[in-house]
Amino acid sequence: MRPLEDARRDVLSAVELLPIVDVDLDDSRRLALATAVVAKENVPPFTNSAMDGFAVQAADTATSPVELRVLEDVAAGHVAGGSVRPGTAIKIMTGAPLPEGADAVVRVEDTEPAGEMVSIKVAVGVGTAVRHAGGDVRSGTQVFPPGETITPAHMAVLASLGVARPVVHRRVVVAVLSTGDEVVAVDGGALQPSQIRDTNRPLLKALLAELGAEVIDLGIVGDDAAEMRRRIERGAADADAVITSGGVSMGEYDLVKQILTEIGSVEFWKVAMQPAKPFAFGFVSGTPLFGLPGNPVSVMVAFEQFARPALLKMMGHRALFRPRVSGTLIGGVSTDPEKTVFSRVVATQVPTNRGAWEARLVGEQSSNVLSALALGNAFAVVPRGQADVADGGLTSLEMFRWPSTRTYEEAQDDR
Ligand code: AMP
Ligand code: MG
């Protein structure tokens, strides 16, 4: 058996970065920046008012209340015609450029109209309610390093900098194939005796969509050598990576193995992990192929440990792995010291214990019990060489989903 870390290192070092392209900002979510983003402009671009109010010289307000002559109004999107001199003010709206001569803004709530004058009721310091040019991002500074994952907030920052077409690594295209005579598509009607529904393809397609991949669905192929070969070859030709599920273990009908050995350079590993021990990785016509086991839980564990980080690496992301937290395992778990063991757990933060994490095993832990994955949100990871975790013992929690416990009622307690 190969240690998980060795197998993963080999997979990660075998895959290559996808080409660099520029994409429409609207299409850049979940892609990774290929180059550092350096601001070519100041954000905000000009010094402006943070409030609706009156642009003044702060020194004039020292003796407040004081009346200042209102010279003009300036709205956002407009520039004042004149400048603020001692004894005068310009009425200003949020976001309008600070007029020349002014060094502070008095918010409208702290003033009172007085004919052609305004009565200023408070003293303000220089810079009050003023947003300086470059105060958010200064022109010439690096805003994001290469490898940064673009989130909605990153897209807003890129927009603020005038980056209409961010330079990124291309979105990875992944072909997905389910295998086995017994496997039937979800819309395939009533099951005949011996048939099961294809859960791996919907699972993989959704996991791929979540990481920003584009999916080519190769469907389901029965244990038919010629057809399987045709589909895998098509996937290798059309996609950047191929993911199959099933057929990589020791069974007599494990055609995937036979075909991959014929048409590609694929290695079959027994990885020291549980679940998901059998795993195949290699290349078909230069395209990386991940041969995942058949059992749905094994599919997700193997996808998470091998395919996900490899695909993220191909797309140029710096962050390849799910976040881990450390927490106590209520009830403990018995493990196999020969393997890295991934148990499905529900991990929560305990408000009464300063938000410390704790986890409980969820459902049956065998590798065909899919419901435990949907009900759980983390893997409790016990590394190879480590003994059983006792009740209340510390464990590493790999969060594949952050707890979604914030109901409306819980949010009421936020104050
Ligand atoms: P295999 O490695 O092909 O022998 O598959 C191992 C187990 O996973 C068997 O019980 C299969 O029926 C099951 N399995 C294989 N492919 C799928 C699939 N796409 N969806 C659900 N279960 C599957
Ligand atoms: Mg099979």
Side-chain angles (χ1 to χ4, degrees):
M1 285 196 297
R2 309 199 57 195
L4 168 59
E5 302 72 39
D6 290 11
R8 191 162 61 194
R9 185 200 54 222
D10 286 359
V11 169
L12 286 177
S13 61
V15 297
E16 283 174 17
L17 276 172
L18 288 163
I20 294 173
V21 294
D22 60 347
V23 295
D24 197 285
L25 178 62
D26 286 339
D27 300 328
S28 67
R29 195 172 84 83
R30 282 267 21 159
L31 295 175
L33 290 166
T35 54
V37 171
V38 176
K40 291 208 178 79
E41 343 178 316
N42 279 326
V43 182
F46 50 87
T47 299
N48 66 91
S49 177
M51 296 279 182
D52 292 335
F54 291 84
V56 299
Q57 295 194 345
D60 275 350
T61 68
T63 55
S64 67
V66 60
E67 289 199 351
L68 303 175
R69 174 165 305 281
V70 181
L71 302 176
E72 59 180 304
D73 279 22
V74 57
H78 299 269
V79 178
S83 54
V84 173
R85 301 177 308 277
T88 70
I90 290 179
K91 191 172 187 189
I92 191 165
M93 303 302 145
T94 305
L98 194 71
E100 258 181 60
D103 58 14
V105 172
V106 181
R107 40 183 209 152
V108 73
E109 298 92 312
D110 296 329
T111 68
E112 229 162 62
E116 293 183 351
M117 310 289 278
V118 61
S119 171
I120 305 287
K121 296 188 292 183
V122 296
V124 295
V126 170
T128 301
V130 171
R131 304 191 286 215
H132 289 283
D136 179 355
V137 178
R138 186 161 292 284
S139 177
T141 56
Q142 178 179 307
V143 186
F144 301 127
E148 183 94 352
T149 300
I150 299 176
T151 71
H154 287 77
M155 292 163 76
V157 172
L158 292 170
S160 78
L161 296 168
V163 180
R165 297 190 65 81
V167 178
V168 296
H169 289 278
R170 188 161 66 64
R171 193 177 292 286
V172 70
V173 180
V174 185
V176 179
L177 177 66
S178 287
T179 70
D181 271 345
E182 76 281 27
V183 180
V184 180
V186 62
D187 54 0
L191 293 177
Q192 302 302 312
S194 84
Q195 293 187 326
I196 57 161
R197 294 196 208 282
D198 182 6
T199 52
N200 294 345
R201 225 163 17 114
L203 173 66
L204 287 167
K205 284 161 69 176
L207 287 167
L208 287 164
E210 192 188 71
L211 68 77
E214 189 183 316
V215 176
I216 296 178
D217 190 342
L218 296 175
I220 304 168
V221 65
D223 295 322
D224 165 346
E227 182 59 18
M228 192 175 295
R229 185 182 174 135
R230 231 176 43 78
R231 300 239 196 143
I232 293 174
E233 280 174 341
R234 198 182 100 206
D238 294 349
D240 302 309
V242 178
I243 300 182
T244 64
S245 68
V248 293
S249 56
M250 300 276 90
E252 207 170 319
Y253 296 95
D254 287 348
L255 273 179
V256 180
K257 194 163 181 173
Q258 192 186 309
I259 287 156
L260 290 179
T261 314
E262 277 171 36
I263 64 174
S265 55
V266 176
E267 286 180 41
F268 293 80
W269 296 336
K270 287 195 185 66
V271 183
M273 67 194 283
Q274 183 191 315
K277 187 174 70 166
F279 171 69
F281 177 76
F283 290 86
V284 173
S285 316
T287 302
L289 180 138
F290 302 86
L292 309 187
N295 276 315
V297 177
S298 307
V299 164
M300 179 144 159
V301 172
F303 178 87
E304 290 281 309
Q305 298 307 312
F306 298 113
R308 186 174 182 276
L311 296 171
L312 289 174
K313 187 184 171 199
M314 289 168 75
M315 286 206 292
H317 293 275
R318 259 181 319 133
L320 304 183
F321 300 103
R322 300 278 194 191
R324 283 192 180 190
V325 297
S326 134
T328 52
L329 189 57
I330 307 301
V333 68
S334 57
T335 66
D336 180 345
E338 303 270 285
K339 297 174 182 168
T340 300
V341 177
F342 295 83
S343 305
R344 279 69 74 196
V345 299
V346 175
T348 49
Q349 284 182 292
V350 191
T352 52
N353 187 16
R354 299 176 180 216
W357 287 93
E358 72 178 31
R360 286 183 167 74
L361 292 188
V362 55
E364 279 287 322
Q365 293 290 315
S366 55
S367 60
N368 61 330
V369 178
L370 198 48
S371 52
L373 272 183
L375 298 173
N377 62 347
F379 295 117
V381 187
V382 181
R384 194 172 45 97
Q386 194 172 307
D388 296 354
V389 179
D391 178 26
L394 213 55
T395 186
S396 186
L397 302 169
E398 187 164 300
M399 307 295 299
F400 57 77
R401 196 153 41 76
W402 219 246
S404 46
T405 56
R406 299 257 300 149
T407 60
Y408 179 77
E409 286 70 25
E410 282 162 334
Q412 297 308 297
D413 297 333
D414 283 353
R415 284 154 297 151

